[in-house]
mmCIF file of all heavy atoms in Angstrom:
data_model
loop_
_atom_site.group_PDB
_atom_site.id
_atom_site.type_symbol
_atom_site.label_atom_id
_atom_site.label_comp_id
_atom_site.label_asym_id
_atom_site.label_seq_id
_atom_site.Cartn_x
_atom_site.Cartn_y
_atom_site.Cartn_z
ATOM 1 N N MET A 1 138.106 233.674 180.621
ATOM 2 C CA MET A 1 139.550 233.410 180.693
ATOM 3 C C MET A 1 140.024 233.914 182.024
ATOM 4 O O MET A 1 139.507 234.825 182.568
ATOM 5 C CB MET A 1 140.282 234.127 179.552
ATOM 6 C CG MET A 1 139.847 233.714 178.146
ATOM 7 S SD MET A 1 140.901 234.452 176.846
ATOM 8 C CE MET A 1 142.351 233.388 176.985
ATOM 9 N N GLY A 2 141.119 233.296 182.509
ATOM 10 C CA GLY A 2 141.609 233.754 183.836
ATOM 11 C C GLY A 2 143.076 233.410 184.001
ATOM 12 O O GLY A 2 143.676 232.644 183.301
ATOM 13 N N TRP A 3 143.614 234.061 185.035
ATOM 14 C CA TRP A 3 144.983 233.785 185.532
ATOM 15 C C TRP A 3 144.896 233.138 186.929
ATOM 16 O O TRP A 3 144.169 233.610 187.796
ATOM 17 C CB TRP A 3 145.836 235.070 185.613
ATOM 18 C CG TRP A 3 146.141 235.620 184.243
ATOM 19 C CD1 TRP A 3 145.524 236.653 183.639
ATOM 20 C CD2 TRP A 3 147.247 235.213 183.398
ATOM 21 N NE1 TRP A 3 146.143 236.902 182.417
ATOM 22 C CE2 TRP A 3 147.218 236.042 182.261
ATOM 23 C CE3 TRP A 3 148.208 234.192 183.519
ATOM 24 C CZ2 TRP A 3 148.140 235.892 181.225
ATOM 25 C CZ3 TRP A 3 149.099 234.117 182.476
ATOM 26 C CH2 TRP A 3 149.091 234.918 181.352
ATOM 27 N N TYR A 4 145.695 232.061 187.073
ATOM 28 C CA TYR A 4 145.841 231.405 188.380
ATOM 29 C C TYR A 4 147.302 231.376 188.703
ATOM 30 O O TYR A 4 148.151 231.521 187.789
ATOM 31 C CB TYR A 4 145.262 230.019 188.330
ATOM 32 C CG TYR A 4 143.730 229.944 188.234
ATOM 33 C CD1 TYR A 4 143.098 230.240 187.041
ATOM 34 C CD2 TYR A 4 142.984 229.538 189.274
ATOM 35 C CE1 TYR A 4 141.714 230.189 186.900
ATOM 36 C CE2 TYR A 4 141.548 229.460 189.157
ATOM 37 C CZ TYR A 4 140.981 229.801 187.996
ATOM 38 O OH TYR A 4 139.620 229.751 187.898
ATOM 39 N N ARG A 5 147.651 231.151 189.952
ATOM 40 C CA ARG A 5 149.057 231.063 190.353
ATOM 41 C C ARG A 5 149.206 230.008 191.447
ATOM 42 O O ARG A 5 148.315 229.756 192.188
ATOM 43 C CB ARG A 5 149.606 232.354 190.778
ATOM 44 C CG ARG A 5 149.060 232.952 192.083
ATOM 45 C CD ARG A 5 149.572 234.345 192.357
ATOM 46 N NE ARG A 5 149.102 234.902 193.602
ATOM 47 C CZ ARG A 5 149.303 236.138 194.007
ATOM 48 N NH1 ARG A 5 149.998 236.950 193.239
ATOM 49 N NH2 ARG A 5 148.820 236.519 195.173
ATOM 50 N N GLN A 6 150.420 229.449 191.476
ATOM 51 C CA GLN A 6 150.736 228.425 192.490
ATOM 52 C C GLN A 6 152.168 228.633 193.010
ATOM 53 O O GLN A 6 153.095 228.601 192.192
ATOM 54 C CB GLN A 6 150.584 226.994 191.920
ATOM 55 C CG GLN A 6 150.689 225.970 192.985
ATOM 56 C CD GLN A 6 150.309 224.574 192.482
ATOM 57 O OE1 GLN A 6 150.242 224.365 191.273
ATOM 58 N NE2 GLN A 6 149.936 223.706 193.384
ATOM 59 N N ALA A 7 152.295 228.915 194.253
ATOM 60 C CA ALA A 7 153.605 229.048 194.907
ATOM 61 C C ALA A 7 153.990 227.700 195.531
ATOM 62 O O ALA A 7 153.134 226.865 195.823
ATOM 63 C CB ALA A 7 153.552 230.120 195.969
ATOM 64 N N PRO A 8 155.275 227.463 195.704
ATOM 65 C CA PRO A 8 155.728 226.200 196.369
ATOM 66 C C PRO A 8 155.047 225.961 197.675
ATOM 67 O O PRO A 8 155.005 226.847 198.554
ATOM 68 C CB PRO A 8 157.234 226.434 196.519
ATOM 69 C CG PRO A 8 157.627 227.401 195.450
ATOM 70 C CD PRO A 8 156.431 228.338 195.387
ATOM 71 N N GLY A 9 154.538 224.757 197.839
ATOM 72 C CA GLY A 9 153.837 224.369 199.064
ATOM 73 C C GLY A 9 152.441 224.902 199.275
ATOM 74 O O GLY A 9 151.860 224.641 200.305
ATOM 75 N N LYS A 10 151.914 225.562 198.262
ATOM 76 C CA LYS A 10 150.617 226.142 198.332
ATOM 77 C C LYS A 10 149.739 225.611 197.216
ATOM 78 O O LYS A 10 150.189 225.075 196.241
ATOM 79 C CB LYS A 10 150.597 227.644 198.253
ATOM 80 C CG LYS A 10 151.302 228.329 199.423
ATOM 81 C CD LYS A 10 151.184 229.843 199.343
ATOM 82 C CE LYS A 10 151.812 230.536 200.543
ATOM 83 N NZ LYS A 10 151.652 232.018 200.454
ATOM 84 N N GLU A 11 148.382 225.724 197.402
ATOM 85 C CA GLU A 11 147.413 225.292 196.411
ATOM 86 C C GLU A 11 147.334 226.383 195.305
ATOM 87 O O GLU A 11 147.632 227.540 195.541
ATOM 88 C CB GLU A 11 146.098 225.080 197.009
ATOM 89 C CG GLU A 11 146.035 223.934 198.032
ATOM 90 C CD GLU A 11 146.287 222.587 197.386
ATOM 91 O OE1 GLU A 11 145.713 222.360 196.274
ATOM 92 O OE2 GLU A 11 146.965 221.760 197.938
ATOM 93 N N ARG A 12 146.918 225.901 194.134
ATOM 94 C CA ARG A 12 146.702 226.895 193.055
ATOM 95 C C ARG A 12 145.543 227.796 193.408
ATOM 96 O O ARG A 12 144.503 227.336 193.905
ATOM 97 C CB ARG A 12 146.411 226.162 191.777
ATOM 98 C CG ARG A 12 146.286 227.073 190.549
ATOM 99 C CD ARG A 12 146.163 226.281 189.271
ATOM 100 N NE ARG A 12 147.288 225.360 189.027
ATOM 101 C CZ ARG A 12 147.437 224.699 187.898
ATOM 102 N NH1 ARG A 12 146.587 224.766 186.895
ATOM 103 N NH2 ARG A 12 148.509 223.922 187.774
ATOM 104 N N GLU A 13 145.691 229.096 193.228
ATOM 105 C CA GLU A 13 144.661 230.081 193.548
ATOM 106 C C GLU A 13 144.334 230.941 192.353
ATOM 107 O O GLU A 13 145.165 231.227 191.497
ATOM 108 C CB GLU A 13 145.117 230.938 194.759
ATOM 109 C CG GLU A 13 146.280 231.823 194.455
ATOM 110 C CD GLU A 13 146.661 232.749 195.595
ATOM 111 O OE1 GLU A 13 145.850 232.850 196.551
ATOM 112 O OE2 GLU A 13 147.723 233.396 195.543
ATOM 113 N N LEU A 14 143.112 231.439 192.351
ATOM 114 C CA LEU A 14 142.631 232.343 191.313
ATOM 115 C C LEU A 14 143.257 233.719 191.527
ATOM 116 O O LEU A 14 143.299 234.236 192.663
ATOM 117 C CB LEU A 14 141.127 232.439 191.299
ATOM 118 C CG LEU A 14 140.515 233.265 190.187
ATOM 119 C CD1 LEU A 14 139.144 232.673 189.759
ATOM 120 C CD2 LEU A 14 140.279 234.717 190.658
ATOM 121 N N VAL A 15 143.787 234.331 190.466
ATOM 122 C CA VAL A 15 144.289 235.705 190.530
ATOM 123 C C VAL A 15 143.303 236.667 189.958
ATOM 124 O O VAL A 15 142.932 237.641 190.618
ATOM 125 C CB VAL A 15 145.613 235.830 189.709
ATOM 126 C CG1 VAL A 15 146.090 237.216 189.700
ATOM 127 C CG2 VAL A 15 146.705 234.862 190.308
ATOM 128 N N ALA A 16 142.774 236.442 188.748
ATOM 129 C CA ALA A 16 141.822 237.274 188.140
ATOM 130 C C ALA A 16 141.109 236.511 187.006
ATOM 131 O O ALA A 16 141.727 235.617 186.380
ATOM 132 C CB ALA A 16 142.457 238.527 187.568
ATOM 133 N N VAL A 17 139.871 236.861 186.701
ATOM 134 C CA VAL A 17 139.102 236.294 185.600
ATOM 135 C C VAL A 17 138.456 237.379 184.812
ATOM 136 O O VAL A 17 138.213 238.497 185.376
ATOM 137 C CB VAL A 17 138.056 235.292 186.083
ATOM 138 C CG1 VAL A 17 138.731 234.069 186.694
ATOM 139 C CG2 VAL A 17 137.082 235.938 187.052
ATOM 140 N N ILE A 18 138.144 237.143 183.549
ATOM 141 C CA ILE A 18 137.478 238.079 182.702
ATOM 142 C C ILE A 18 136.593 237.318 181.703
ATOM 143 O O ILE A 18 136.965 236.306 181.167
ATOM 144 C CB ILE A 18 138.533 238.999 181.934
ATOM 145 C CG1 ILE A 18 137.800 240.019 181.115
ATOM 146 C CG2 ILE A 18 139.404 238.125 181.093
ATOM 147 C CD1 ILE A 18 138.749 241.124 180.566
ATOM 148 N N THR A 19 135.390 237.830 181.533
ATOM 149 C CA THR A 19 134.454 237.208 180.595
ATOM 150 C C THR A 19 134.638 237.775 179.187
ATOM 151 O O THR A 19 135.393 238.746 179.000
ATOM 152 C CB THR A 19 132.960 237.471 181.046
ATOM 153 O OG1 THR A 19 132.684 238.890 180.881
ATOM 154 C CG2 THR A 19 132.747 237.033 182.467
ATOM 155 N N SER A 20 133.965 237.173 178.213
ATOM 156 C CA SER A 20 134.096 237.662 176.837
ATOM 157 C C SER A 20 133.504 239.068 176.698
ATOM 158 O O SER A 20 133.929 239.824 175.783
ATOM 159 C CB SER A 20 133.351 236.710 175.909
ATOM 160 O OG SER A 20 131.980 236.681 176.182
ATOM 161 N N GLY A 21 132.629 239.486 177.586
ATOM 162 C CA GLY A 21 132.110 240.824 177.571
ATOM 163 C C GLY A 21 132.942 241.837 178.327
ATOM 164 O O GLY A 21 132.555 243.019 178.324
ATOM 165 N N GLY A 22 133.999 241.375 179.005
ATOM 166 C CA GLY A 22 134.865 242.310 179.655
ATOM 167 C C GLY A 22 134.628 242.511 181.129
ATOM 168 O O GLY A 22 135.284 243.305 181.795
ATOM 169 N N ASN A 23 133.724 241.760 181.734
ATOM 170 C CA ASN A 23 133.528 241.789 183.163
ATOM 171 C C ASN A 23 134.658 241.080 183.882
ATOM 172 O O ASN A 23 135.122 240.033 183.450
ATOM 173 C CB ASN A 23 132.223 241.166 183.545
ATOM 174 C CG ASN A 23 131.001 241.901 183.002
ATOM 175 O OD1 ASN A 23 130.976 243.110 183.055
ATOM 176 N ND2 ASN A 23 129.987 241.167 182.507
ATOM 177 N N THR A 24 135.160 241.687 184.991
ATOM 178 C CA THR A 24 136.343 241.188 185.657
ATOM 179 C C THR A 24 136.091 240.900 187.118
ATOM 180 O O THR A 24 135.211 241.480 187.719
ATOM 181 C CB THR A 24 137.502 242.164 185.547
ATOM 182 O OG1 THR A 24 137.144 243.399 186.114
ATOM 183 C CG2 THR A 24 137.912 242.378 184.115
ATOM 184 N N ASN A 25 136.942 240.045 187.699
ATOM 185 C CA ASN A 25 136.961 239.814 189.114
ATOM 186 C C ASN A 25 138.391 239.507 189.560
ATOM 187 O O ASN A 25 139.117 238.777 188.807
ATOM 188 C CB ASN A 25 136.040 238.605 189.433
ATOM 189 C CG ASN A 25 135.832 238.414 190.971
ATOM 190 O OD1 ASN A 25 135.815 239.377 191.658
ATOM 191 N ND2 ASN A 25 135.719 237.139 191.372
ATOM 192 N N TYR A 26 138.788 240.018 190.694
ATOM 193 C CA TYR A 26 140.175 239.868 191.166
ATOM 194 C C TYR A 26 140.185 239.313 192.600
ATOM 195 O O TYR A 26 139.316 239.531 193.371
ATOM 196 C CB TYR A 26 140.868 241.199 191.222
ATOM 197 C CG TYR A 26 141.064 241.897 189.910
ATOM 198 C CD1 TYR A 26 140.042 242.731 189.364
ATOM 199 C CD2 TYR A 26 142.220 241.721 189.148
ATOM 200 C CE1 TYR A 26 140.234 243.384 188.192
ATOM 201 C CE2 TYR A 26 142.357 242.373 187.943
ATOM 202 C CZ TYR A 26 141.379 243.196 187.456
ATOM 203 O OH TYR A 26 141.553 243.823 186.240
ATOM 204 N N ALA A 27 141.280 238.556 192.861
ATOM 205 C CA ALA A 27 141.564 238.184 194.209
ATOM 206 C C ALA A 27 141.861 239.413 195.050
ATOM 207 O O ALA A 27 142.425 240.377 194.552
ATOM 208 C CB ALA A 27 142.759 237.197 194.263
ATOM 209 N N ASP A 28 141.456 239.390 196.311
ATOM 210 C CA ASP A 28 141.624 240.553 197.169
ATOM 211 C C ASP A 28 143.153 240.935 197.271
ATOM 212 O O ASP A 28 143.465 242.105 197.400
ATOM 213 C CB ASP A 28 141.097 240.281 198.566
ATOM 214 C CG ASP A 28 139.588 240.255 198.614
ATOM 215 O OD1 ASP A 28 138.972 240.805 197.711
ATOM 216 O OD2 ASP A 28 139.062 239.648 199.572
ATOM 217 N N SER A 29 144.023 239.949 197.220
ATOM 218 C CA SER A 29 145.442 240.189 197.365
ATOM 219 C C SER A 29 146.078 240.955 196.215
ATOM 220 O O SER A 29 147.165 241.511 196.364
ATOM 221 C CB SER A 29 146.197 238.932 197.549
ATOM 222 O OG SER A 29 146.024 238.054 196.413
ATOM 223 N N VAL A 30 145.423 241.055 195.064
ATOM 224 C CA VAL A 30 145.931 241.745 193.902
ATOM 225 C C VAL A 30 145.141 242.937 193.472
ATOM 226 O O VAL A 30 145.568 243.674 192.538
ATOM 227 C CB VAL A 30 146.156 240.787 192.726
ATOM 228 C CG1 VAL A 30 146.976 239.578 193.129
ATOM 229 C CG2 VAL A 30 144.797 240.377 192.125
ATOM 230 N N LYS A 31 144.023 243.196 194.109
ATOM 231 C CA LYS A 31 143.162 244.340 193.715
ATOM 232 C C LYS A 31 143.936 245.658 193.811
ATOM 233 O O LYS A 31 144.638 245.903 194.818
ATOM 234 C CB LYS A 31 141.909 244.402 194.565
ATOM 235 C CG LYS A 31 140.865 243.340 194.232
ATOM 236 C CD LYS A 31 139.654 243.488 195.126
ATOM 237 C CE LYS A 31 138.601 242.450 194.756
ATOM 238 N NZ LYS A 31 137.424 242.535 195.653
#
């Protein structure tokens, strides 16, 4: 499961993801 975001005039980008086991990954901008 994950969160993505899209600002006006920009492409949709990944914010953070998490697996069913709890492993996570974040975009550098939100770490």
Side-chain angles (χ1 to χ4, degrees):
M1 300 187 77
W3 290 98
Y4 292 72
R5 67 186 182 187
Q6 187 169 22
K10 295 185 177 181
E11 296 294 319
R12 186 175 299 187
E13 65 174 351
L14 184 147
V15 176
V17 294
I18 184 169
T19 68
S20 60
N23 295 319
T24 61
N25 189 34
Y26 297 89
D28 289 340
S29 60
V30 307
K31 286 182 178 178

